[in-house]
Amino acid sequence: QVQLVESGGGSVQPGESLRLSCAATGRIGSINAMSWYRQAPGKQRELVAAILSGGQTRYHDAVTGRFTISRHITWNSVSLQMNSLKPDDTAVYYCNARVGSVWIRPDYGSWGQGTQVTVSS
């Protein structure tokens, strides 16, 4: 089993930066990809960024050029550097991890508390 805990959220003004972290514990040796999702009030959860075992990264169009995903070499953590934040980035942010071909947090259901990011002037 792999457990994930997010941290680093907060309240900032537009244009400011935040760095989110996700700590992975348990059987992290089997992780081969990690990702960040977010869910804004009244909206569906959406993929923000992902990083794969070969170092490839994927980003939602809305954050390309502003957010950067990175991971620890052991897969024990994944980070999301968020620059030039906008009010539309306001959401609860969650991480996920893939073991083999299965993401440990499924598409449906609650993913726990996540970490709240609020961007407001």
Side-chain angles (χ1 to χ4, degrees):
Q1 292 283 359
V2 174
Q3 295 79 41
L4 302 170
V5 178
E6 301 91 346
S7 63
S11 295
V12 298
Q13 295 188 341
E16 294 185 340
S17 299
L18 278 175
R19 186 176 181 86
L20 306 183
S21 294
C22 171
T25 58
R27 300 183 68 174
I28 63 171
S30 300
I31 296 175
N32 55 42
M34 297 187 79
S35 59
W36 283 96
Y37 281 74
R38 66 186 180 187
Q39 186 165 22
K43 295 186 177 181
Q44 288 189 331
R45 192 160 50 220
E46 63 180 8
L47 176 66
V48 176
I51 186 164
L52 311 180
S53 58
Q56 303 97 320
T57 54
R58 303 283 189 271
Y59 295 95
H60 190 291
D61 287 347
V63 308
T64 298
R66 299 187 297 122
F67 290 11
T68 303
I69 188 171
S70 60
R71 69 168 179 93
H72 189 273
I73 190 170
T74 65
W75 289 109
N76 71 350
S77 65
V78 64
S79 297
L80 186 68
Q81 177 66 39
M82 306 187 296
N83 298 329
S84 302
L85 282 160
K86 304 176 180 180
D88 284 349
D89 296 319
T90 296
V92 179
Y93 284 71
Y94 303 91
C95 64
N96 204 354
R98 190 176 69 189
V99 175
S101 61
V102 180
W103 291 91
I104 67 166
R105 287 173 165 170
D107 291 341
Y108 51 89
S110 172
W111 285 11
Q113 292 187 332
T115 187
Q116 175 70 48
V117 172
T118 302
V119 185
S120 173
S121 55

